[in-house]
Amino acid sequence: MDASIRNATVMDDTRILELINSHAAKGLMLSKTPYKIYCNIQSFFVAEDSNGKIIGCAALSVMWKDVAEVTSLAVDNDYFGKGVGKALVEKCIERARALKIEKLIALTYQDKFFERLGFKLFDKDAFPRKLWRECLECPKLEMCDEKGYMYIL
Ligand SMILES: CC(C)(COP(=O)(O)OP(=O)(O)OC[C@H]1O[C@@H](n2cnc3c(N)ncnc32)[C@H](O)[C@@H]1OP(=O)(O)O)[C@@H](O)C(=O)NCCC(=O)NCCS
């Protein structure tokens, strides 16, 4: 399926929240508030189908000079397995390269997906904790059971 990926606008807020929070309700990712979306809207990409329906989103969150994180990656259930998630992560990779960032990371339960895209497992506990800003909002914080995946650019 050919999803087109574009920069998000503030008009995409409701749909981005729907996508993220529907998966967050199943414990697959962190939930987001409208405030968080507006603050970070410039980091967001959305995927559209040929009718202009938003079927996925992702954000590139710069953590430090050398590293950025893929966050808020969410695809509409009806469009799983059609390359939408891959297209979104590839867009994050492209943006990270343009920013001259060296490493892209993801904290995730989606091992196979990230492995398929060339990410490698890494020891997330070896990363300075102050960099994990998103984690400060996570109820699991010290008991994180997500795996860390890294892609060297
Ligand atoms: C993870 C997620 C973004 C994947 O999106 P998707 O559009 O279904 O994935 P794609 O179709 O682009 O898959 C790309 C590749 O990964 C593989 N893949 C995707 N999910 C997989 C899974 N759960 N198990 C095994 N392989 C998987 C696909 O088969 C495909 O492989 P291919 O290139 O050989 O065809 C989507 O399932 C999702 O939104 N999940 C819920 C929210 C979530 O967990 N987000 C991640 C937070 S870090």
Side-chain angles (χ1 to χ4, degrees), residues 17-32:
L17 283 162
E18 259 173 31
L19 286 165
I20 294 173
N21 290 337
S22 65
H23 293 308
K26 295 179 210 148
L28 294 172
M29 59 197 297
L30 274 179
S31 64
K32 286 279 171 342

Side-chain angles (χ1 to χ4, degrees), residues 33-47:
T33 59
Y35 173 69
K36 286 293 273 185
I37 302 301
Y38 302 134
C39 286
N40 297 303
I41 196 71
Q42 293 164 96
S43 313
F44 267 89
F45 300 107
V46 292

